[in-house]
Amino acid sequence: MDEPIIVGIDVGTTKICTLVGRVEQEGILRILGVGIEPSQGMRKGVPVDVRAVTQAVSRSIEKAERTSGMEITSALVSLAGSQVSSVNSKGVVGVSGRTIDDDDVIRSMEAARAVAIPHNREIIHVIQRGFTVDGQPGIRMPLGMHGYRLEVETHIITVAASAVENLRNCVDDAGATPSQFVLNPLASAEVVLSETEREMGVVVCDVGGGTTDIAIYIEGDVYHTTVLGVGGDHITADIAHGLRLPISQAEEIKIQHGHAVEAEVGENEEFHVRPFGEEMPLQIHRRELALIIEARVEEIFSLVLQEIKRSGYDGLLPAGMVLTGGSSSIPGIRTVGSQVLGLPVRRAQPDNLVGMTDQLYSPAFSTSVGLLKWSMLMTEIGGESSQPKISSRGGGYDWEYIKSLIRRLFP
Ligand SMILES: Nc1ncnc2c1ncn2[C@@H]1O[C@H](COP(=O)(O)OP(=O)(O)OP(=O)(O)O)[C@@H](O)[C@H]1O
Ligand SMILES: [Mg+2]
C-alpha cells in the first residue's frame, strides 16, 4: 500500500501525544495509533529537564507503536516556547519566458530565505503569502503560468536555536528523528480554522497547560504568530494558593467544578474537598473558585489582546477568535474572551477523524491532530530536515498538487 503514513509528536507541557496516521483517498486522515502520556520535564513549552522529557516522549512513542503495530523512526514535532519571532521577506527569481514549474517556486522560496538571521536562531518555517508574476500581485499558485519574473512574499518564523536543539535531542534520544518542527499555533490552526475564517481574518488561540499559542490569519495567510508563557498551570497554581490546597487537588477541583465567570455560578453552589492530612472536609463555595479562575483567565486574554494590538492587525479580524487547547474546556471561558477582546469567540476541537479517535475529540488535541494535517500540506525543500517548507494554502486545496508534495515527502 503506498498511502503515506505520517507521525506527529505533540510535546506539550501537560501531556505528550504521539499520533500515527494514514492519508487515504480524498485526503481523509485515518488515525492508526495513539500514545498519550503525562508530560514531564517541560515548563512553558520548553524542556527544562531533558532526561525526564526524553523518557516521557519515549513512553508516548512506545504506546503509539503498540497501538498502531508500526515502528516509528521519524516524526513531525510541535514546538512552542517564548523565544519565537518572525520576519517578512521577499524572494525574486527569473523564469525566462517559459511555464513556471515546481523548481522555480522552490528557488523563489530559497531566495526569500536568504535574509540575515542571527546565528543563535533557527528558521522553523518559511511560509509563502502569495506570489507576483511579472508585476501582477495576488497570485495564489503560479505553477503552470507563463512569465519572466517570479516573486514570493514569505513569513519566516525563527526560534532560539538552543530551545530547538534541546527538543531535537529529547525526541531523537526517545527513538524518533524529528523530520520537521511545527509551531504549535500553526498546527492547531490546521484543525480548528475554516477557509472562510482565514480569508476574513481570524486569530486562533490555543490555551494549553504552560503556554497560550496565538496565530493571526488574514486573507488566507499567516500574518503573525506568538507563544505566551501562561496557561492552565497558572490557573491551577492560583487555586492552590488561594484555597491553600496542594497542586494536585487544585487541578482536580478546577476540572470538576471550575467556571470562568463568577456571576454565572449559583450563589449557593458548594462542594467539599478533603485536604491531605486533614480530618475534616473543607467546604468551598464554587463562586470563590470561579473568582480565582476568572481573574487569571481575564489576565491571559488581556495578554492576548496586547499581542494582537502589538501586531498591528487588530481591526482586521472580523471572524473573531477561535479558542482551543485543554484550558478552553473551562465553562464560561468564551464569555470572558469575548468581553476582553471585544470579538466573537467560538471554541473548536478536532472533528471528522477516522480510526482510533475516541480520546482525540477534545480541544487539548488540536495541536496533536494538527501536526498530521500539517504534514499533509507540506513538503521539504532541499533534503535536510527542519529546512523551509512550502505552504500550499489557498482558497480550496489543489489536491493534485498536494498529492505531489506528499509523494515527495514520503517517497
Ligand atoms: N475540563 C477542563 N477544565 C479546565 N481545565 C482543563 C480541562 N481539561 C484540561 N484542562 C487544562 O488544560 C491544560 C492542558 O491543556 P493541553 O493538553 O492543551 O496542554 P499542553 O498541550 O500539554 O501544554 P502546552 O501546549 O501549554 O505546552 C491543563 O492546565 C489542564 O488543567
Ligand atoms: Mg499544547
Side-chain angles (χ1 to χ4, degrees):
M1 208 177 325
D2 58 2
E3 284 169 333
I5 300 292
I6 49 188
V7 182
I9 307 177
D10 177 6
V11 188
T13 310
T14 309
K15 50 98 186 43
I16 295 174
C17 175
T18 303
L19 296 181
V20 182
R22 186 169 62 211
V23 185
E24 299 189 336
Q25 304 232 317
E26 309 289 315
I28 288 174
L29 177 61
R30 177 176 293 277
I31 307 290
L32 302 173
V34 179
I36 301 167
E37 274 290 309
S39 183
Q40 262 157 16
M42 295 285 289
R43 235 184 117 238
K44 297 188 180 188
V46 292
V48 290
D49 179 345
V50 171
R51 208 188 234 177
V53 178
T54 304
Q55 283 169 357
V57 173
S58 174
R59 283 195 295 272
S60 161
I61 291 176
E62 274 165 28
K63 248 190 199 172
E65 286 184 327
R66 256 203 321 277
T67 49
S68 66
M70 289 179 188
E71 190 193 356
I72 295 172
T73 52
S74 76
L76 270 84
V77 177
S78 72
L79 189 79
S82 51
Q83 295 148 309
V84 177
S85 69
S86 54
V87 288
N88 294 327
S89 169
K90 190 190 262 190
V92 184
V93 291
V95 184
S96 69
R98 52 176 171 75
T99 323
I100 295 168
D101 61 20
D102 269 14
D103 287 335
D104 298 318
V105 172
I106 289 168
R107 277 194 306 126
S108 70
M109 303 271 290
E110 298 273 21
R113 192 172 180 267
V115 288
I117 302 284
H119 287 307
N120 58 357
R121 305 200 65 81
E122 185 169 324
I123 294 179
I124 293 301
H125 295 292
V126 179
I127 297 164
Q128 59 97 344
R129 300 201 323 198
F131 295 88
T132 301
V133 178
D134 292 355
Q136 168 75 51
I139 295 186
R140 282 270 177 229
M141 191 38 79
L143 290 179
M145 291 177 82
H146 215 266
Y148 290 87
R149 181 186 158 94
L150 173 67
E151 295 169 49
V152 61
E153 287 282 350
T154 63
H155 181 69
I156 298 182
I157 299 174
T158 67
V159 179
S162 56
V164 184
E165 199 51 36
N166 284 336
L167 191 58
R168 182 179 285 127
N169 289 342
C170 290
V171 178
D172 242 333
D173 292 347
T177 310
S179 60
Q180 192 196 338
F181 289 100
V182 183
L183 202 66
N184 274 4
L186 299 184
S188 302
E190 288 305 323
V191 166
V192 301
L193 296 187
S194 69
E195 286 300 320
T196 315
E197 284 169 333
R198 281 176 210 253
E199 286 297 327
M200 286 170 71
V202 70
V203 54
V204 55
C205 181
D206 182 316
V207 192
T211 66
T212 293
D213 316 317
I214 306 165
I216 292 175
Y217 286 80
I218 298 168
E219 291 176 353
D221 298 320
V222 184
Y223 271 65
H224 187 74
T225 43
T226 321
V227 177
L228 302 171
V230 283
D233 290 351
H234 295 76
I235 302 174
T236 305
D238 291 348
I239 296 168
H241 191 252
L243 300 178
R244 296 205 189 86
L245 292 170
I247 290 284
S248 57
Q249 267 183 327
E251 175 74 17
E252 214 173 278
I253 65 166
K254 176 180 81 172
I255 288 172
Q256 269 177 20
H257 307 282
H259 203 293
V261 184
E262 190 211 4
E264 282 181 17
V265 175
E267 250 177 76
N268 300 323
E269 287 187 52
E270 294 171 350
F271 60 93
H272 294 89
V273 280
R274 191 195 293 270
F276 296 120
E278 299 271 338
E279 280 297 306
M280 295 293 291
L282 193 67
Q283 187 184 42
I284 295 172
H285 287 281
R286 197 173 169 219
R287 275 199 160 189
E288 199 183 340
L289 174 67
L291 190 68
I292 297 171
I293 298 176
E294 183 169 344
R296 181 59 85 165
V297 169
E298 250 174 32
E299 197 224 348
I300 292 175
F301 286 126
S302 305
L303 293 171
V304 171
L305 178 64
Q306 220 175 328
E307 195 52 44
I308 294 173
K309 288 202 164 139
R310 209 168 61 84
S311 76
Y313 300 122
D314 51 324
L316 293 174
L317 307 168
M321 177 161 79
V322 177
L323 198 57
T324 192
S327 297
S328 73
S329 299
I330 303 174
I333 192 168
R334 239 161 38 88
T335 313
V336 182
S338 193
Q339 272 164 6
V340 175
L341 284 114
L343 290 172
V345 177
R346 78 175 175 92
R347 183 169 23 209
Q349 65 184 44
D351 64 358
N352 288 329
L353 300 171
V354 184
M356 296 185 59
T357 57
D358 298 356
Q359 292 156 283
L360 303 180
Y361 289 117
S362 147
F365 295 105
S366 295
T367 304
S368 320
V369 176
L371 282 175
L372 298 190
K373 297 245 168 167
W374 179 272
S375 111
M376 290 165 70
L377 293 168
M378 301 292 149
T379 190
E380 285 187 73
I381 295 170
E384 277 176 62
S385 59
S386 85
Q387 291 295 300
K389 304 301 177 292
I390 183 168
S391 155
S392 134
R393 291 244 60 90
Y397 299 130
D398 175 354
W399 281 110
E400 276 317 304
Y401 181 61
I402 289 166
K403 271 186 226 155
S404 79
L405 295 183
I406 290 171
R407 248 178 262 132
R408 282 221 233 163
L409 188 56
F410 305 96

